[in-house]
Amino acid sequence: MSEKILIPTETKIIKGASTERVKKPKWLRVKLPVGKKYTELRGLVDKYKLNTICTSGSCPNMGECWGEGTATFMILGNICTRSCGFCGVKTGRPETVEWDEPEKVARSIKIMKIKHAVITSVDRDDLKDGGSIIWAETVEAIRRANPNTTLETLIPDFQGSTKLIDRIIEVHPEVVSHNMETVKRLTREVRIQAKYDRSLGVLKYLKDNGMRTKSGIMLGLGETEDEVIQTMKDLRKVGLDIITIGQYLQPTKKHLPVKEFITPDQFKKYETLGKEMGFMYVESGALVRSSYKAHKHAS
């Protein structure tokens, strides 16, 4: 069977002062996740009530990633101190830090027999350490319980504090990722409390201190081709190794609207340009997300 689900068939697109409903293009349809490995992991997630971004975010690549032994986990709660216009995570006052969370995540990875784990988090600007202590302890707990599991940490900007970023560097995950999300002109609208140059600075600091670095951008928010290419150039200038480029999809009516659906040919063009610029890996496609094919980026 080739039943396809997960991506809604309609969205609102704002053009000038008018609002119209349009169908999403056919290339955004994805197959139901299937396979023995997926079924096994789904059962474990349900049985032990494990928290993965794969399931809570209804990721279209869940079946493929799980089949390859990759999963993404979010730490430090599910309430963010920032209010980005693209993100479906709730904004507000976060809950108290759970200091046993590192062990819980490590246990989940062991139960699921994950070969490559991606760890991400909400922004915790309410904490003096930005959550960096829990970040470091999570990596260490995973290493103790799962010595053969490789790790990618998709970190916040920690407000640019090198002291906090050093905690990530000290535990040395195989890949450290921090997403630019969009081009410079749109950063204030899309990311609100974040800064384009600060994010570039974070990635440069990580690279200068020996980390394999990664970042992702979303398309369809009103950026131009020239702006995307400039962002790619800016990322290469700070030594970025891996870039992911995907289509933005509006989580709810309250979030920023999709301005454009990028064609597969255009994504292919960015992939070709990225390789010519010297990126180690370029993942470019409508359904590409930050952790797509993440396992191969660690090798």
Side-chain angles (χ1 to χ4, degrees), residues 115-117 139 142-143 146-153 168-169 171-177 207 210-214 241-242 280 294-299:
K115 297 177 183 177
H116 180 76
V139 171
I142 293 169
R143 293 233 189 273
N146 309 273
N148 296 320
T149 297
T150 54
L151 291 171
E152 174 184 326
T153 52
I168 306 298
I169 294 170
V171 294
H172 208 89
E174 279 75 13
V175 179
V176 184
S177 182
K207 186 61 182 177
M211 296 292 100
R212 179 177 291 192
T213 55
K214 178 178 174 180
D241 298 301
I242 304 151
M280 183 184 299
H295 64 288
K296 76 176 187 181
H297 302 155
S299 59

Side-chain angles (χ1 to χ4, degrees), residues 17-191:
S18 65
T19 301
E20 61 183 71
R21 296 196 72 84
V22 296
K23 289 187 176 181
K24 285 187 171 71
K26 62 183 180 181
W27 60 79
L28 280 174
R29 297 177 183 175
V30 295
K31 293 182 179 180
L32 274 167
V34 294
K36 182 179 179 181
K37 184 67 174 177
Y38 167 78
T39 303
E40 178 186 342
L41 289 181
R42 185 75 213 211
L44 290 171
V45 167
D46 294 342
K47 179 179 179 180
Y48 293 101
K49 295 181 173 59
L50 307 179
N51 181 28
T52 73
I53 284 294
C54 317
T55 50
S56 60
S58 299
C59 180
N61 305 310
M62 180 165 54
E64 182 178 355
C65 290
W66 282 13
E68 293 169 339
T70 300
T72 302
F73 300 83
M74 186 165 76
I75 60 175
L76 290 163
N78 57 8
I79 300 176
C80 190
T81 53
R82 301 190 186 182
S83 51
C84 297
F86 69 91
C87 184
V89 175
K90 185 186 298 184
T91 301
R93 177 179 291 181
E95 297 175 357
T96 304
V97 172
E98 295 183 13
W99 292 100
D100 62 343
E101 185 173 43
E103 298 298 334
K104 288 181 179 179
V105 173
R107 174 176 171 270
S108 295
I109 290 170
K110 189 168 186 176
I111 289 171
M112 294 176 71
K113 298 179 182 178
I114 295 299
K115 297 177 183 177
H116 180 76
V118 180
I119 311 300
T120 188
S121 79
V122 293
D123 281 277
R124 292 298 304 260
D125 296 325
D126 59 311
L127 302 174
K128 287 184 178 180
D129 76 322
S132 59
I133 293 174
I134 284 287
W135 263 105
E137 290 185 356
T138 300
V139 171
E140 291 177 330
I142 293 169
R143 293 233 189 273
R144 287 193 299 270
N146 309 273
N148 296 320
T149 297
T150 54
L151 291 171
E152 174 184 326
T153 52
L154 174 53
I155 65 171
D157 62 20
F158 293 118
Q159 298 187 45
S161 169
T162 56
K163 178 182 178 181
L164 304 185
I165 297 169
D166 281 341
R167 290 198 173 107
I168 306 298
I169 294 170
E170 286 168 6
V171 294
H172 208 89
E174 279 75 13
V175 179
V176 184
S177 182
H178 173 65
N179 285 341
M180 298 297 294
E181 308 293 7
T182 190
V183 300
K184 189 170 188 175
R185 176 177 59 86
L186 297 176
T187 294
R188 181 173 293 183
E189 177 186 5
V190 174
R191 300 177 69 199

